[in-house]
Amino acid sequence: MHFKWNYEPPTSERRAAAKELGEKIGMSPILADLLIQRGIKTESAAKRFFRPMLNELIDPFLMNDMDVAVDRLNDAMGRKEKIMVYGDYDVDGCTAVALVYKFLQQFYSNIEYYIPDRYEEGYGISKKALDSAAERDVKLIIVLDCGIKAIEEISYAKSLGIDFIVCDHHVPDDELPDAVAILNPKREDSTYPFKHLCGCGVGFKFMQAFAKNNGIPFSRLIPLLDFCAVSIAADMVPVTGENRILAFHGLKQLNQAPSIGLKSIIEISGLTGRELTMSDIVFKIGPRINASGRMQNGTEAVDLLVERDFEKALSEANHINVYNEQRKDVDKQMTEEANQIIEKLESQKHHNSIVLYDENWKKGVVGIVASRMTEMYYRPTVVLTRSGDLATGSARSVAGYDIYDAVKSCRDLLENFGGHTYAVGLSLKIENIPEFRRRFQQYVNDHILPEQTEAMLEIEEEVDFKDITKKLHNDLKKFAPHGPDNEKPIFCTRNVYDYGTSKVVGRQQEHIKLELVDSKSSNVMNGIAFGRSADARYIKSKRSFDIAYTIEENIYKRSEVQLQIEDIRPSEE
């Protein structure tokens, strides 16, 4: 894929501000300009950005209903009531359940956890789970990463004598469920200063409040921060504000003293001995936790995450790894089939969105296929399959476009839906699919901007190879952890040439290993362009070209800086 480059050269005022800030913090003006583009314009703000402090976490009692939630939990413990920790079957839900369960289990034994079966019970709170909880005399359910729309289910639970504390981060409807407490920073009446916590983050804030109320030292919560980092990375929430603090210290925990379950996943993922990043979570750790809920049952993922014996955890991690390999095969087959449908359906080619349905697709993998279609065609995508009498599926969006609003515009056709800006789950009657497709596509056509339907690279800085020093790379590392709203900076260099030694590499000769020089210095830079072998002929033609890239450390030669090429184009473009 070739991208459209979006680059705005800095104004003279911004250059002057970057130079001044760079001198104050001892950094290159290039990196100081990156800070300014992130809204960080003072020395003190830069220091807070580079050194996120746990004592800067927001007071959890600023969240609506937090005092009520803590009081109800204290009452349940005081009365020796059975407590169930209930969560969604994805990474965010499983890590949230593991975090809350592990923390409370240190102080209270009459507690259990529950993850619904994606295939038998579906998303959210199920009647089957409530009946089972009532039979086992559960009196309080703490639900994580779902529940904000479970009005009927929570009303039914109340009739069974079960109270609910909802910890969710999905967009609520106008009507809220009749729970004892609803912890959700996206509530219309929210007084909490940070809106973008993930489900696990809301669970962490609840435990922080519980600890504060009961005189439990905050240090007891720190070992659980690795769950927060995994959740923030996998759920693609903004890595700013409170999320940046949680992700920063969570990654530190993950690298220095991960929980037994996560340590076993790190080992089977081949990541032992490496400094783990958010990318490692997104591409290696998260998919393995997710695979359990996608292919079988998410309970196995929580079993692993709360496991205390490493040998047992390793065995469970290998089991989950098998699910992940099966998921890859199903994912590949479904993606190929989805591409074939798009090729056959002329109507899909002329719309700014894609809606696909196949009754034989695996329910647990439709979200991944929707993401793949969005990446390939750069259009908001809905992928549906059959589940019982309904069509159920996932919607994924492109950068800058709110797909939740698009799905919500068709709510009268839906049985259920929920999510946020970039990802939505939905279900509808099969006979409603054609009308849903028509209305969804019309809504997207009417509301999406032309630039949101193009594969865009946001270039932050134009640099020459002489600017890329070891100090610049070391300072650049301080911008991590990366994710939405703090993406890894993309640089560009114009008029570069093959040094004469670039070559195609890879098992299927699909990548290019580059050695490049630019027109302004004699510096030779190493680079890798994954999946770009089609550009090799032009590169070897001795003509100049422009590159867009991130600056990385070569994992095989730790002291060496390497460019990871995102796009290549002839200089005359």
Side-chain angles (χ1 to χ4, degrees):
M1 179 190 286
H2 286 273
F3 295 86
K4 184 174 181 181
W5 293 15
N6 186 30
Y7 172 63
E8 287 186 26
T11 60
S12 55
E13 291 87 351
R14 206 172 91 194
R15 285 185 196 280
K19 185 173 183 292
E20 185 183 341
L21 180 60
E23 285 168 356
K24 285 179 180 171
I25 62 175
M27 272 190 180
S28 154
I30 293 166
L31 300 189
D33 189 50
L34 290 178
L35 289 172
I36 288 169
Q37 290 184 66
R38 283 158 175 72
I40 298 159
K41 297 177 181 178
T42 65
E43 184 180 0
S44 60
K47 283 179 177 170
R48 280 200 308 277
F49 179 76
F50 290 133
R51 290 196 290 275
M53 307 293 282
L54 286 168
N55 63 12
E56 291 178 344
L57 287 172
I58 299 164
D59 179 356
F61 285 100
L62 291 178
M63 195 177 289
N64 304 53
D65 286 359
M66 187 62 84
D67 51 346
V68 183
V70 171
D71 286 347
R72 181 64 187 89
L73 179 55
N74 284 334
D75 287 347
M77 289 179 161
R79 294 200 288 257
K80 303 282 192 293
E81 292 175 350
K82 179 165 273 193
I83 300 169
M84 175 186 281
V85 185
Y86 187 113
D88 188 23
Y89 37 59
D90 68 358
V91 177
D92 192 14
C94 290
T95 50
V97 168
L99 185 150
V100 171
Y101 176 79
K102 274 188 83 169
F103 187 68
L104 292 180
Q105 200 193 27
Q106 299 172 76
F107 314 103
Y108 190 68
S109 59
N110 197 14
I111 185 167
E112 59 185 49
Y113 55 83
Y114 189 93
I115 304 288
D117 186 292
R118 186 191 294 257
Y119 296 95
E120 286 187 15
E121 296 168 83
Y123 173 78
I125 300 162
S126 77
K127 191 169 179 293
K128 176 188 170 187
L130 295 176
D131 289 339
S132 170
E135 282 173 19
R136 295 196 315 287
D137 203 29
V138 170
K139 295 298 180 190
L140 175 65
I141 295 179
I142 301 167
V143 62
L144 297 136
D145 193 36
C146 56
I148 197 64
K149 292 189 174 185
I151 291 164
E152 288 179 25
E153 292 83 358
I154 289 176
S155 175
Y156 177 67
K158 203 169 182 181
S159 74
L160 298 174
I162 300 171
D163 282 342
F164 259 87
I165 295 170
V166 176
C167 305
D168 204 352
H169 71 122
H170 296 102
V171 179
D173 272 341
D174 295 335
E175 185 185 354
L176 296 176
D178 186 17
V180 171
I182 296 174
L183 310 179
N184 186 331
K186 290 193 180 83
R187 280 174 60 159
E188 195 71 35
D189 59 347
S190 177
T191 52
Y192 197 69
F194 186 71
K195 308 295 180 196
H196 305 295
L197 292 168
C198 57
C200 187
V202 178
F204 179 83
K205 298 305 296 185
F206 184 20
M207 293 302 95
Q208 185 190 359
F210 171 78
K212 190 175 181 180
N213 179 262
N214 286 282
I216 299 163
F218 181 84
S219 57
R220 298 284 293 271
L221 286 158
I222 291 174
L224 301 166
L225 286 170
D226 53 2
F227 291 140
C228 289
V230 169
S231 182
I232 289 164
D235 219 52
M236 295 293 188
V237 289
V239 186
T240 56
E242 193 161 42
N243 281 343
R244 181 170 171 81
I245 300 171
L246 293 171
F248 181 90
H249 290 279
L251 268 179
K252 194 172 168 185
Q253 188 70 27
L254 194 66
N255 278 291
Q256 294 175 0
S259 68
I260 295 295
L262 287 173
K263 187 180 178 184
S264 68
I265 297 173
I266 290 165
E267 180 148 323
I268 59 133
S269 303
L271 296 171
T272 305
R274 273 177 53 182
E275 183 172 356
L276 301 171
T277 65
M278 298 291 266
S279 290
D280 292 317
I281 296 170
V282 171
F283 295 109
K284 298 287 180 94
I285 297 170
R288 285 171 168 84
I289 296 171
N290 251 337
S292 178
R294 291 191 191 283
M295 305 305 292
Q296 204 65 41
N297 190 303
T299 303
E300 293 183 49
V302 181
D303 292 343
L304 169 59
L305 293 174
V306 301
E307 183 53 61
R308 296 176 181 178
D309 179 84
F310 184 66
E311 290 307 315
K312 194 172 175 192
L314 207 52
S315 171
E316 290 172 353
N318 277 304
H319 193 53
I320 278 174
N321 203 42
V322 172
Y323 291 148
N324 194 47
E325 293 305 312
Q326 291 169 351
R327 188 271 307 165
K328 284 181 188 173
D329 292 339
V330 173
D331 166 10
K332 187 180 176 187
Q333 182 188 337
M334 283 171 57
T335 300
E336 286 170 2
E337 290 171 1
N339 274 320
Q340 287 166 12
I341 293 172
I342 291 169
E343 288 305 310
K344 285 176 190 168
L345 282 177
E346 277 298 314
S347 61
Q348 298 283 1
K349 296 176 187 175
H350 304 299
H351 283 283
N352 288 320
S353 60
I354 295 168
V355 178
L356 301 175
Y357 170 71
D358 186 307
E359 66 175 18
N360 298 313
W361 283 341
K362 194 165 180 70
K363 184 179 170 185
V365 185
V366 291
I368 299 177
V369 176
S371 295
R372 298 245 191 275
M373 295 298 103
T374 305
E375 288 164 14
M376 285 179 190
Y377 298 97
Y378 219 74
R379 285 181 274 179
T381 300
V382 180
V383 178
L384 300 163
T385 187
R386 187 174 188 131
S387 178
D389 296 331
L390 297 176
T392 185
S394 293
R396 296 289 184 271
S397 195
V398 294
Y401 184 73
D402 189 338
I403 203 166
Y404 183 86
D405 281 349
V407 173
K408 188 179 178 182
S409 73
C410 308
R411 67 182 306 160
D412 56 302
L413 297 171
L414 305 176
E415 298 299 303
N416 209 343
F417 77 101
H420 41 79
T421 305
Y422 293 121
V424 176
L426 65 155
S427 62
L428 67 160
K429 289 174 180 167
I430 291 164
E431 59 265 30
N432 286 347
I433 293 172
E435 180 62 9
F436 170 80
R437 178 184 283 120
R438 186 190 71 75
R439 286 196 10 211
F440 176 83
Q441 292 184 328
Q442 187 62 55
Y443 185 93
V444 175
N445 284 346
D446 292 345
H447 292 84
I448 202 163
L449 301 173
E451 59 268 27
Q452 291 172 331
T453 61
E454 294 181 277
M456 190 82 71
L457 267 188
E458 298 293 335
I459 311 286
E460 293 201 57
E461 300 289 337
E462 183 176 338
V463 299
D464 300 325
F465 284 172
K466 64 178 167 50
D467 300 318
I468 304 172
T469 62
K470 189 67 185 165
K471 177 174 177 7
L472 180 127
H473 179 240
N474 286 336
D475 286 344
L476 191 57
K477 288 180 187 175
K478 297 173 185 173
F479 282 74
H482 296 294
D485 293 354
N486 183 39
E487 300 285 358
K488 193 172 281 190
I490 297 176
F491 301 87
C492 76
T493 302
R494 303 190 193 274
N495 295 304
V496 305
Y497 298 85
D498 174 28
Y499 186 59
T501 45
S502 298
K503 59 185 179 183
V504 175
V505 295
R507 196 174 296 171
Q508 296 173 313
Q509 300 286 281
E510 68 270 43
H511 316 308
I512 315 173
K513 190 175 188 310
L514 298 150
E515 289 191 331
L516 304 172
V517 288
D518 68 0
S519 56
K520 296 184 181 176
S521 70
S522 57
N523 292 21
V524 179
M525 290 300 307
N526 291 316
I528 183 76
F530 293 112
R532 306 293 306 223
S533 57
D535 293 313
R537 186 185 292 264
Y538 187 92
I539 289 166
K540 301 302 284 184
S541 72
K542 298 193 170 14
R543 286 177 286 177
S544 72
F545 50 96
D546 303 341
I547 54 171
Y549 54 87
T550 58
I551 299 172
E552 311 286 350
E553 189 170 68
N554 187 328
I555 59 169
Y556 302 108
K557 297 177 184 174
R558 287 287 170 87
S559 60
E560 193 178 279
V561 173
Q562 177 174 271
L563 310 183
Q564 185 163 311
I565 312 295
E566 301 294 326
D567 200 21
I568 297 167
R569 64 184 194 184
S571 291
E572 55 265 26
E573 287 187 19

